């Protein structure tokens, strides 16, 4: 669907899932999509797992050459909330030391929990802001069945970039405060 429209996206992959579906990630990478780190096992929320540094480093090792040069990382939250516990001091220190770019979001339509209504929710979220970073999921029953509908109905330019407000850490440099994501 993306290729048919000439669109590029970012795929933040869970390291354990990558072991089973590496060919899909290789295809996405070859087609120009950006591949980023979404932890090794997807603990929710990451910052309360007690294994944050291992989750980040092991997933990055699994990505290998597929990883975007900016070492893109998206933490796992609790239901899409940008709340305390999303990150920890140890996670932030690991992201800085590893020169990662931490990518957050400003729209999560709940595709995994509302397969019938997420498209309308996503469209409303997109209309509410100037630049939307929309998170969709590839789990069973999530966005895949209705992605084409979203792409047909969206009245916004789709670009392969991130709003600066959604990137608190870029290439290891803290650009926006992260304290509100720490517990």
């Amino acid at each position: 669907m993306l290729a048919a429209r000439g669109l590029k996206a970012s795929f933040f992959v869970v390291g354990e899932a990558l072991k089973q579906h590496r060919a899909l990630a290789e295809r996405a990478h070859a087609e120009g999509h950006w591949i980023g780190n979404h932890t090794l096992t997807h603990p929710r929320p990451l910052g309360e797992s007690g294994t944050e540094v291992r989750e980040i480093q092991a997933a990055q090792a699994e990505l290998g050459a597929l990883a975007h040069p900016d070492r893109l990382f998206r933490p796992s939250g609790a239901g899409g909330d940008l709340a305390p516990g999303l990150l920890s001091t140890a996670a932030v220190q690991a992201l800085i030391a590893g020169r990662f770019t931490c990518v957050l979001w400003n729209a999560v339509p709940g595709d995994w929990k509302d397969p019938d209504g997420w498209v309308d929710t996503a469209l409303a979220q997109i209309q509410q802001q100037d630049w939307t970073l929309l998170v969709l999921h590839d789990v069973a029953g999530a966005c895949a069945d209705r992605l084409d509908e979203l792409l047909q109905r969206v009245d916004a330019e789709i670009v392969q970039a991130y709003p600066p407000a959604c990137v608190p850490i870029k290439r290891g440099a803290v650009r926006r405060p992260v304290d509100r994501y720490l517990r």
Side-chain angles (χ1 to χ4, degrees):
M1 286 180 252
L2 297 173
R5 289 175 171 79
L7 299 174
K8 303 291 185 213
S10 297
F11 292 92
F12 288 88
V13 299
V14 174
E16 287 293 326
L18 183 60
K19 292 177 183 179
Q20 298 171 343
H21 305 288
R22 189 165 194 92
L24 289 173
E26 288 172 349
R27 175 182 166 199
H29 182 265
E31 291 178 6
H33 301 288
W34 295 347
I35 308 297
N37 176 336
H38 190 41
T39 73
L40 182 66
T41 66
H42 202 269
R44 287 170 289 197
L46 170 68
E48 296 179 3
S49 69
T51 59
E52 304 89 313
V53 174
R54 180 183 167 284
E55 287 284 338
I56 294 166
Q57 292 174 344
Q60 195 68 25
E62 191 65 39
L63 283 172
L66 295 176
H68 187 277
D70 282 348
R71 298 173 60 92
L72 302 173
F73 173 78
R74 185 170 74 81
S76 48
D81 293 335
L82 293 172
L86 181 68
L87 294 170
S88 67
T89 301
V92 171
Q93 290 171 346
L95 295 172
I96 292 168
R99 299 192 39 82
F100 283 88
T101 295
C102 181
V103 180
L104 301 180
W105 53 91
N106 59 15
V108 180
D111 55 320
W112 75 97
K113 62 184 177 184
D114 185 10
D116 296 324
W118 76 264
V119 171
D120 290 329
T121 301
L123 293 170
Q125 290 175 341
I126 291 166
Q127 290 302 310
Q128 293 172 359
Q129 48 206 347
D130 292 331
W131 191 348
T132 304
L133 197 156
L134 183 71
V135 172
L136 300 174
H137 298 81
D138 68 344
V139 296
C143 83
D145 291 342
R146 299 200 54 211
L147 180 59
D148 192 53
E149 177 186 350
L150 174 70
L151 295 175
Q152 287 176 24
R153 292 177 57 196
V154 70
D155 185 23
E157 181 182 10
I158 299 173
V159 297
Q160 189 182 34
Y162 310 121
C166 292
V167 183
I169 301 171
K170 186 169 183 174
R171 298 180 189 137
V174 177
R175 304 283 176 122
R176 299 197 172 283
V178 296
D179 294 349
R180 72 182 197 143
Y181 309 120
L182 306 178
R183 182 163 319 266

